[in-house]
Amino acid sequence: MTSPVVELLQRLIKNQCVNDGSVGSGNESRSVATLLEYFGVEGELHEPEPGRQSLVYRMAGSDPEWPSLALVPHLDVVPVDPTGWSVDPFAAEIIDGFVYGRGAVDMLNVTASMATAVRPYLTGEKAPRGDLVFAAVADEEAGGRLGALPLVEERWDLVRADFLMTEVAYPALTVGDHRSVPVSIGEKGAYWSILKTHGAPGHGSAPYGTENALHKMIEALAGLVEAPQPADVTGEWVGFVENLGLDPGSVSRLTDVDQLDDEIDRIAAEDPALARYIHAATHLTISTNVLQAGTKTNMVADKARAEVDIRGLPGMDRHFVDSHLRKAMGAAADQVDIVPVMDGNATVSPVGNVLWEAIGDAVELLDGHRNLAPTLMTVATDARFWRAKGTVAYGVGLFDDRMGFSEMLSLFHGHDERVSVASVDRTTSLYETVLDRFFAGA
Ligand SMILES: [Zn+2]
């Protein structure tokens, strides 16, 4: 009753390749074994740590002049809190037309669709005109150090490509009767930081005049939390908004940096998840998520540290981030050390090329229009490693209308993650058509 691609998705979910960030987690070798069985064709294994396998195929194109294309899905998923789920997160049950399970939208659905689309090329039923790479990788959810990053750094001969498809696949955006399919063309930069303050130990019973590291941290964070997060209307954002079919008033409010925050507040009243996305796509975002200080109730805190998730738009960099942090913390900034733990600028691919047109053709064939909305992802994906090498990288999928854009945003890493069977089939058709059109030279 279910299609082979849905059965493949169910098997990938049941493999429980949960990546908690530790080297011993993930166990992507289970899903590599599933894919090897599904393809029936040997591939190149990359295994920097036991069990942390990526599976790569590189098929030579018939035309050496034709551009190369890589499909790079990941095999790992993030951990679950089963108490928040209404079903077993790893049983891959189908209920009312939805496959439930961790990874159903991030991104085992697309992994299964890409594997299905690429299979006829692996078995020799179809021949690619340019080189075709399929790389199912480990460790995306922990930054790719045991997956995509070493492949790009050490095996560029194997994974190099002019064009690439990976995350994120979003459902269509619908405004009235105007549909547009988001195509992820870039992602924000990540500037995770640790803030540190220092004091002097003393007895908590007599705090007058003591130097308390936690008090310094509270002053600094108060400024940071209060300060408006800097907004910017980038070319990427304008390109996205203009493709949604919105009325001219909405377009101008969403693309005017002075009206933007009020418009986001207005949208938040109706659709908080959408407002959250719009805010993230137009601002330097700062989320203070970990705070540690002191050792004992009766000891003055001599150390405090805060971990801050900071994401920047194209055009922002570490210098921009640090100067905003210092300004926002005000006088307290002099007492704070900012320690960068992640420092990668935003990456963006241009539109209007053979892959963009192949996606447009596929969307036109399968969804009846060719409105592609170029979308900036707020999260980091493996695409950034290839973009840094000059590869054009996109993410795209095709869903049915049982789940909207903003509902799906809340399912990423969330409870009751699920995807409709029809959406898995549609995304598979999309990839099959994109490969056909890309190699046909549409
Ligand atoms: Zn993902």
Side-chain angles (χ1 to χ4, degrees):
M1 193 180 88
T2 49
S3 56
V5 62
V6 171
E7 283 169 22
L8 177 59
L9 168 59
Q10 290 175 294
R11 289 179 65 188
L12 295 174
I13 291 171
K14 288 176 184 173
N15 284 339
Q16 303 195 30
C17 299
V18 176
N19 184 353
D20 65 13
S22 69
V23 171
S25 69
N27 298 295
E28 292 89 347
S29 54
R30 295 178 199 143
S31 284
V32 166
T34 298
L35 287 175
L36 283 169
E37 191 192 318
Y38 181 71
F39 293 139
V41 178
E42 290 302 315
E44 291 241 19
L45 289 182
H46 180 260
E47 189 173 12
E49 294 288 341
R52 308 308 301 268
Q53 285 184 351
S54 298
L55 172 65
V56 187
Y57 296 89
R58 184 174 191 96
M59 291 152 268
S62 58
D63 178 352
E65 303 294 310
W66 204 255
S68 48
L69 175 63
L71 306 185
V72 184
H74 67 77
L75 298 172
D76 57 324
V77 298
V78 292
V80 293
D81 170 10
T83 59
W85 286 62
S86 63
V87 295
D88 176 346
F90 298 105
E93 284 177 82
I94 298 180
I95 301 165
D96 186 28
F98 280 89
V99 184
Y100 280 72
R102 175 56 87 217
V105 294
D106 182 12
M107 67 172 291
L108 303 180
N109 57 330
V110 177
T111 306
S113 291
M114 285 180 169
T116 301
V118 89
R119 190 175 178 217
Y121 293 89
L122 287 172
T123 57
E125 287 163 63
K126 290 183 180 176
R129 185 164 169 189
D131 285 7
L132 175 59
V133 177
F134 177 79
V137 297
D139 201 35
E140 191 276 342
E141 296 291 358
R145 281 183 298 276
L146 300 173
L149 180 59
L151 279 169
V152 168
E153 286 186 343
E154 296 158 21
R155 293 303 315 274
W156 185 240
D157 59 309
L158 186 63
V159 299
R160 77 191 139 77
D162 300 309
F163 294 90
L164 177 140
M165 301 176 87
T166 179
E167 294 181 282
V168 168
Y170 297 109
L173 285 147
T174 309
V175 177
D177 56 4
H178 181 96
R179 283 170 71 79
S180 52
V181 170
V183 179
S184 304
I185 61 159
E187 60 192 55
K188 295 180 76 179
Y191 306 95
W192 297 7
S193 302
I194 296 175
L195 308 182
K196 289 184 176 174
T197 55
H198 304 276
H203 203 286
S205 65
Y208 179 80
T210 57
E211 206 189 338
N212 186 311
L214 179 54
H215 290 189
K216 292 179 183 176
M217 182 62 79
I218 289 169
E219 281 174 32
L221 291 182
L224 200 52
V225 170
E226 291 292 311
Q229 303 187 344
D232 191 19
V233 170
T234 61
E236 292 76 28
W237 177 247
V238 174
F240 177 75
V241 171
E242 285 181 344
N243 278 282
L244 300 183
L246 295 166
D247 63 273
S250 299
V251 172
S252 71
R253 287 191 297 278
L254 284 169
T255 54
D256 175 355
V257 79
D258 295 325
Q259 300 184 64
L260 184 58
D261 286 346
D262 287 342
E263 185 69 1
I264 291 171
D265 289 345
R266 199 187 60 71
I267 291 168
E270 296 159 18
D271 191 341
L274 183 62
R276 197 172 298 127
Y277 172 76
I278 295 171
H279 179 270
T282 53
H283 289 74
L284 176 77
T285 58
I286 296 167
S287 185
T288 307
N289 298 326
V290 178
L291 181 61
Q292 290 160 334
T295 45
K296 199 166 177 293
T297 307
N298 63 354
M299 286 174 70
V300 171
D302 65 336
K303 286 197 285 274
R305 70 195 288 279
E307 295 180 23
V308 194
D309 183 352
I310 303 171
R311 312 272 178 148
L313 296 170
M316 297 175 174
D317 60 9
R318 174 53 77 172
H319 177 76
F320 180 93
V321 170
D322 282 357
S323 51
H324 171 74
L325 293 178
R326 298 223 163 268
K327 206 168 89 190
M329 292 187 289
D334 294 342
Q335 309 175 2
V336 177
D337 295 333
I338 302 171
V339 183
V341 288
M342 200 182 277
D343 220 347
N345 289 339
T347 62
V348 180
S349 292
V351 302
N353 49 55
V354 57
L355 180 56
W356 186 260
E357 295 306 325
I359 294 169
D361 288 348
V363 167
E364 186 167 6
L365 186 74
L366 299 165
D367 212 44
H369 61 89
R370 53 189 309 141
N371 306 320
L372 307 181
T375 306
L376 183 71
M377 293 177 287
T378 62
V379 297
T381 76
D382 285 336
R384 69 189 189 279
F385 304 127
W386 275 266
R387 286 204 193 97
K389 294 267 203 180
T391 301
V392 169
Y394 299 142
V396 66
L398 203 54
F399 293 75
D400 65 5
D401 291 331
R402 296 186 65 192
M403 185 179 297
F405 179 78
S406 51
E407 188 183 359
M408 191 171 115
L409 290 176
S410 64
L411 288 183
F412 272 86
H413 302 188
H415 299 324
D416 279 352
E417 187 177 343
R418 62 194 177 279
V419 66
S420 75
V421 168
S423 296
V424 177
D425 289 334
R426 274 165 67 75
T427 296
T428 306
S429 300
L430 177 83
Y431 280 102
E432 288 167 346
T433 311
V434 168
L435 288 176
D436 286 346
R437 297 299 169 105
F438 182 88
F439 290 125

